[in-house]
Amino acid sequence: GAGVSQTPSNKVTEKGKYVELRCDPISGHTALYWYRQSLGQGPEFLIYFQGTGAADDSGLPNDRFFAVRPEGSVSTLKIQRTERGDSAVYLCASSPSPSAGQYFGPGTRLTVL
Amino acid sequence: KNQVEQSPQSLIILEGKNCTLQCNYTVSPFSNLRWYKQDTGRGPVSLTIMTFSENTKSNGRYTATLDADTKQSSLHITASQLSDSASYICVVSGIQGVNNDMRFGAGTRLTVKP
């Protein structure tokens, strides 16, 4: 069956630009998570959705970062006025419940020049 | 300071050899500990999950151990294969055991050479 997919796989943008990263979770998974992973580091939690609502957005670094999941399935992570420090791999994961095992997507590698 | 520390940072071994990766944590109280394998360019994939009452869990050639008293875990890989080359990440969940309460280690980068 299909796993978690993320698009694009790579995104190169210029400082100050706006970007959107998309996550398609496994069908039926109600919980969806966004993480950011810098080189040589473990994933860093950003935000968690249960259904359509953001149940925990405590990991978002600042108000330039925003995520939506309007229909409880696909999610989009939005970054405004990108900075070079935003360069990282952005991982999405889904799970059938908040405490069940997570299934990660392959990530989107974002490079801000 | 990270609440989950892994060692070594990187490791190179020859194919067929065994190795052990370490994870020390300070997360307290603690609900469960997971080991993930992350291939280059991929997302992490779960290998094992242990609650505080379990002290060992196996998944094929992977065996994880947990000492909740000393807050230490290890991942032992037996008869390594080239495909074992990856980063291995230790993840500890706090009291609620929910995924948004997970603390990730920085990982150990394992390279298996022929």
Side-chain angles (χ1 to χ4, degrees):
Chain A
V4 178
S5 62
Q6 293 186 245
T7 54
S9 56
N10 280 283
K11 176 70 177 178
V12 179
T13 191
E14 294 179 342
K15 180 175 178 294
K17 298 292 188 182
Y18 168 82
V19 296
E20 290 189 352
L21 312 179
R22 176 186 168 111
C23 172
D24 282 79
I26 293 173
S27 177
H29 281 194
T30 59
L32 184 145
Y33 310 82
W34 283 100
Y35 295 87
R36 178 168 68 176
Q37 187 174 27
S38 300
L39 190 64
Q41 299 296 315
E44 171 193 12
F45 170 77
L46 296 177
I47 186 170
Y48 150 58
F49 287 89
Q50 181 60 35
T52 60
D56 182 354
D57 63 358
S58 61
L60 295 178
N62 52 60
D63 61 6
R64 294 187 298 105
F65 289 75
F66 189 71
V68 296
R69 195 186 186 200
E71 297 178 358
S73 179
V74 171
S75 177
T76 304
L77 178 65
K78 308 180 181 192
I79 310 175
Q80 298 177 324
R81 304 183 304 280
T82 52
E83 300 177 356
R84 292 193 180 89
D86 298 335
S87 296
V89 174
Y90 289 81
L91 292 166
C92 175
S94 71
S95 66
S97 73
S99 58
Q102 289 181 307
Y103 296 82
F104 283 83
T108 292
R109 179 174 296 279
L110 175 66
T111 302
V112 182
L113 301 177
Chain B
K1 187 181 187 325
N2 196 356
Q3 293 178 294
V4 180
E5 299 283 350
Q6 292 188 242
S7 62
Q9 186 175 29
S10 61
L11 180 63
I12 300 173
I13 62 173
L14 293 177
E15 187 179 14
K17 298 297 185 182
N18 303 336
C19 67
T20 300
L21 314 181
Q22 299 291 345
C23 174
N24 296 341
Y25 62 93
T26 59
V27 178
S28 182
F30 142 88
S31 176
N32 61 60
L33 185 148
R34 308 174 195 208
W35 281 93
Y36 283 85
K37 178 186 180 188
Q38 186 174 21
D39 292 311
T40 301
R42 303 294 203 113
V45 175
S46 180
L47 292 175
T48 63
I49 177 170
M50 291 181 289
T51 65
F52 65 87
S53 62
E54 298 175 289
N55 56 24
T56 188
K57 185 71 72 77
S58 290
N59 178 359
R61 295 179 296 102
Y62 301 101
T63 300
T65 65
L66 173 64
D67 185 334
D69 291 330
T70 62
K71 295 185 170 53
Q72 295 180 325
S73 177
S74 66
L75 180 68
H76 186 75
I77 304 175
T78 305
S80 61
Q81 300 177 357
L82 298 179
S83 60
D84 292 333
S85 295
S87 287
Y88 291 84
I89 302 174
C90 174
V91 186
V92 180
S93 291
I95 186 62
Q96 296 186 43
V98 292
N99 294 327
N100 57 311
D101 191 29
M102 289 161 56
R103 325 295 167 84
F104 288 77
T108 291
R109 177 71 204 172
L110 175 66
T111 302
V112 180
K113 293 196 167 183

